[in-house]
Amino acid sequence: MTRQEKELEDVDLEKRELSGSISHEEHHSDDPSALRASEAQSDLHGSNNLASIQEGTFHQSQITQRQGFFKHLFSPLDRAYMDAVHRDAEGVVYEDAGEEERRIKKKVDNRILPLIILSFVYRTNIGNAHVIPEFNENFGITNNNKWTLALSIFYVGYCLLEMPANVLQRYIGANRFFFITFTFWGLSSLSIVYAKGYGALLALRILLGIGEAGFYAGAIYYLSFWYKRRELAMRISLCMTGTVPGAIGGLLAFGLVRAHTSVLTGWQFLFLIESIPTITMGFLILFLLPSFPFSASFLTSREKAILQARLNRDHRPQSHGGMNGWEGFKAIMGDVNVWGFMLIYATFNVGVATISYFLPTIVTRWMHIHVFSLVQLINELGFSSIDAQGLTVAPYVVGFSMVVIQSWHSDKIRTRGWHIMLSSSVSCIGYIILTCLAGEAPGVARGKAKVGASYFALFLVISGNYSLFPLVMSWAANNLSPTSKRGVGTAFVVSVSNTVSIASPQIYFDPEDSFRKGHAIAAGCLFLAFLIAFALRTRLAILNRRNQRILREMSKKDGNDSPTAMEAGKNGKPGGEIYDTDPRFLFTT
């Protein structure tokens, strides 16, 4: 008997035992009437069990002791619930891609996505505050070097704690983890309102980095428990793109910097509005966001089984078991693909890590140059640092459109590499335009055409840079398995890449030259991202062809002599997650 036949026999035996086909009375009762009654009762019991198995509720119904709402918030995650949902998912009967599945996915979208989106919309106000003189005076930012150091120091705690934070999230659950990080981040941001002095700003920037550690990679890791690989990029683009916070931050800054009271001035309102909603979202997420799909109270038992079953056909995510954090770390360190994702992220992140901070500053410089050269238009144009806040909104709005379109199309055709190369090219062209048009010192006349072309280039830079984030991170999440490796791997990509962000603000060291050198360095990094994406996509395509060849060769061999695909991948017990070393694993290119 082959291994596959033995496994099928074991599954069949389990179903017969569950359905009551094998019972004590069947073997030991000698009374014909009692036997017939027992058989009738067994048939009824068996048909009920079979119906509940196909309904996807049998094993969940066997868990009699259920946790109360508040106890569930603070007690350890119960593996029994996960096991029950996974076992029900194996037997549930539903129409693939049918109306019921679409309804469940919409239900998940309506609960999960708004909570994550709303927690991320107030995160970029320091760049808007920098163009306000009162902010710089309060914190003693007297030159560009002090400003870039304040930006860079944020990433110290962020990079060091990114991977430990993702491991912690898996153990305590997403709702508790995000509650801790949002509350810590919000309180740190709130402290900026009343802080004074450059040292205080640096200390609070470090604390903000600690509070933000784990959020980006953790949210992507969390979404992978709810969606198929081909559905991930679009959701990440809606939840995590910096274009929405950038646009909202610009609008808020445009309105709030005019606000003055006896207690607070305009820039302080920016950080007040940034911190209070974040703390509020922390509490909402604690109570409303499920730790994992198996603990989702807004889904019925059948809906949980169907949700898990549709994911099992794609990548079988597991909230418990598998590799621990150290084993996951060792796995990613030896994976060439992970290093490729990290290099792509690191190169394009040079632009992302700086553009949101310097965009209001750059726009303000252009406006003052433009107004100086066209004095007669001062009353008509009225450009100022306040107006620059509003002018930052349009590039973010257009950028959001490209983010959504790129992510949607990437999910639709199930590829990532070509889209990453396109976005890298768009952003690179934008930086080249900025480089070519920069170099004129403040006070030197610059025509309308140059200002307009530079402003247009910002649309390209924002659109290209921010569309790269969901594409690259979904590409990494799609190609890392098992779940524990995916969690550590995505955190590794973000944390190591953001060490570059520590130095990224330093590339804008030439304000007297309108940041020409900074734009040129960013353009070079985007071109390098294009080359690495091309090389990595080629590698993954070759691996897919190799895996297909291995599977064809295995299928030709005698079943008694050939190893199973699971054994070939050395991935533990059958029915578990398919590791990315398994020849059955299909890499997303």
Side-chain angles (χ1 to χ4, degrees):
M1 178 182 294
T2 66
R3 180 185 296 270
Q4 291 90 339
E5 292 171 342
K6 179 66 169 62
E7 291 171 2
L8 289 173
E9 184 179 283
D10 292 342
V11 173
D12 183 61
L13 179 61
E14 181 183 0
K15 288 183 177 180
R16 288 164 54 206
E17 288 174 344
L18 288 173
S19 65
S21 299
I22 300 174
S23 63
H24 177 78
E25 291 84 356
E26 182 179 346
H27 293 288
H28 297 282
S29 177
D30 295 326
D31 184 354
S33 60
L35 182 60
R36 285 193 297 272
S38 176
E39 288 176 346
Q41 184 179 5
S42 178
D43 289 342
L44 179 61
H45 179 65
S47 62
N48 290 337
N49 284 348
L50 184 60
S52 62
I53 289 174
Q54 295 177 342
E55 183 70 16
T57 60
F58 178 80
H59 294 95
Q60 294 175 74
S61 66
Q62 304 305 304
I63 301 177
T64 56
Q65 185 177 359
R66 298 184 178 273
Q67 295 175 317
F69 177 73
F70 289 101
K71 186 178 179 181
H72 174 71
L73 290 177
F74 304 104
S75 61
L77 299 175
D78 191 347
R79 179 164 183 163
Y81 290 91
M82 183 206 75
D83 290 337
V85 172
H86 277 265
R87 295 181 71 184
D88 282 334
E90 295 175 1
V92 67
V93 177
Y94 71 101
E95 181 185 355
D96 187 26
E99 179 60 32
E100 187 176 23
E101 182 180 346
R102 287 192 294 270
R103 179 177 55 79
I104 294 172
K105 187 167 65 173
K106 184 177 181 180
K107 198 173 182 179
V108 171
D109 285 342
N110 292 339
R111 169 60 72 92
I112 303 300
L113 297 185
L115 290 172
I116 298 179
I117 291 171
L118 290 174
S119 65
F120 186 60
V121 295
Y122 309 102
R123 298 249 170 176
T124 59
N125 280 335
I126 191 167
N128 297 101
H130 177 53
V131 299
I132 303 173
E134 291 85 356
F135 172 82
N136 298 321
E137 292 171 6
N138 183 78
F139 290 110
I141 303 175
T142 56
N143 55 59
N144 191 64
N145 291 334
K146 283 191 171 184
W147 170 236
T148 56
L149 177 60
L151 299 181
S152 297
I153 204 168
F154 169 89
Y155 294 99
V156 174
Y158 182 90
C159 296
L160 290 176
L161 296 178
E162 185 76 33
M163 280 189 286
N166 249 29
V167 174
L168 176 65
Q169 178 186 329
R170 193 181 187 215
Y171 281 101
I172 68 175
N175 60 333
R176 285 174 274 196
F177 174 77
F178 290 141
F179 167 73
I180 294 171
T181 58
F182 289 172
T183 303
F184 187 91
W185 193 95
L187 291 175
S188 300
S189 180
L190 183 62
S191 300
I192 295 179
V193 175
Y194 298 103
K196 189 175 181 64
Y198 188 64
L201 178 64
L202 294 181
L204 289 172
R205 288 287 293 169
I206 293 174
L207 294 179
L208 284 171
I210 293 173
E212 190 129 336
F215 175 69
Y216 291 92
I220 294 166
Y221 177 57
Y222 178 71
L223 290 174
S224 70
F225 283 96
W226 296 89
Y227 297 103
K228 293 180 179 180
R229 294 189 294 172
R230 66 174 182 267
E231 300 166 347
L232 205 53
M234 183 64 178
R235 269 74 184 185
I236 294 175
S237 72
L238 293 174
C239 294
M240 310 296 296
T241 177
T243 53
V244 175
I248 292 178
L251 285 173
L252 289 175
F254 183 71
L256 290 175
V257 294
R258 294 176 169 84
H260 290 275
T261 68
S262 59
V263 179
L264 299 176
T265 188
W267 69 266
Q268 292 174 306
F269 281 105
L270 287 178
F271 292 97
L272 186 67
I273 296 298
E274 176 180 82
S275 57
I276 298 300
T278 302
I279 296 172
T280 303
M281 286 307 304
F283 282 93
L284 289 177
I285 279 178
L286 177 64
F287 292 102
L288 299 178
L289 189 75
S291 296
F292 294 100
F294 69 83
S295 63
S297 60
F298 69 94
L299 296 177
T300 65
S301 296
R302 174 172 171 79
E303 289 172 339
K304 293 178 188 177
I306 293 175
L307 179 65
Q308 189 61 52
R310 67 187 295 270
L311 295 180
N312 286 350
R313 297 182 180 185
D314 187 59
H315 62 280
R316 303 183 70 89
Q318 302 280 339
S319 59
H320 292 69
M323 297 178 177
N324 57 34
W326 175 244
E327 290 171 339
F329 179 74
K330 290 190 293 185
I332 63 171
M333 291 300 291
D335 191 336
V336 175
N337 298 334
V338 175
W339 291 95
F341 297 131
M342 184 274 294
L343 289 174
I344 297 172
Y345 193 109
T347 48
F348 87 78
N349 200 44
V350 170
V352 173
T354 54
I355 193 65
S356 63
Y357 298 139
F358 282 94
L359 181 58
T361 304
I362 294 170
V363 172
T364 302
R365 289 183 73 82
W366 291 343
M367 298 316 160
H368 285 306
I369 293 168
H370 191 160
V371 174
F372 183 87
S373 62
L374 299 170
V375 179
Q376 67 273 25
L377 297 178
I378 288 179
N379 291 332
E380 179 182 350
L381 298 177
F383 292 129
S384 67
S385 62
I386 294 179
D387 293 327
Q389 309 281 7
L391 288 167
T392 64
V393 176
Y396 282 120
V397 172
V398 174
F400 178 72
S401 300
M402 180 167 177
V403 169
V404 173
I405 292 172
Q406 277 277 74
S407 300
W408 169 80
H409 192 257
S410 176
D411 279 344
K412 181 179 177 61
I413 66 175
R414 306 183 189 184
T415 65
R416 306 283 187 238
W418 296 122
H419 294 78
I420 290 172
M421 285 181 261
L422 174 61
S423 292
S424 300
S425 301
V426 170
S427 185
C428 183
I429 292 171
Y431 277 117
I432 291 173
I433 296 174
L434 290 175
T435 303
C436 294
L437 298 180
E440 296 168 345
V444 177
R446 179 184 294 191
K448 278 187 175 182
K450 285 189 175 182
V451 173
S454 298
Y455 191 52
F456 168 75
L458 283 182
F459 285 80
L460 300 181
V461 168
I462 294 290
S463 299
N465 276 349
Y466 284 99
S467 61
L468 281 167
F469 179 81
L471 293 171
V472 173
M473 292 310 298
S474 61
W475 202 17
N478 288 168
N479 289 309
L480 297 177
S481 185
T483 306
S484 49
K485 181 181 178 181
R486 184 182 309 119
V488 177
T490 52
F492 175 82
V493 169
V494 174
S495 62
V496 177
S497 300
N498 274 309
T499 57
V500 177
S501 299
I502 297 176
S504 292
Q506 308 303 323
I507 71 173
Y508 283 92
F509 56 85
D510 56 336
E512 70 286 345
D513 197 26
S514 298
F515 305 113
R516 177 194 289 272
K517 295 182 180 68
H519 296 324
I521 294 171
C525 289
L526 266 298
F527 181 68
L528 182 58
F530 176 94
L531 296 178
I532 299 171
F534 178 79
L536 184 57
R537 187 196 180 281
T538 302
R539 169 181 164 79
L540 295 176
I542 293 173
L543 290 176
N544 280 339
R545 290 195 293 269
R546 183 205 65 180
N547 287 346
Q548 292 173 1
R549 184 177 66 254
I550 292 173
L551 291 177
R552 284 195 300 268
E553 292 173 354
M554 292 172 60
S555 65
K556 293 177 182 178
K557 294 181 180 179
D558 182 25
N560 290 315
D561 298 325
S562 63
T564 64
M566 185 66 76
E567 290 173 332
K570 300 179 181 179
N571 298 333
K573 64 181 182 179
E577 290 188 87
I578 300 177
Y579 285 27
D580 52 28
T581 54
D582 192 305
R584 293 177 299 170
F585 189 87
L586 180 64
F587 291 99
T588 300
T589 58

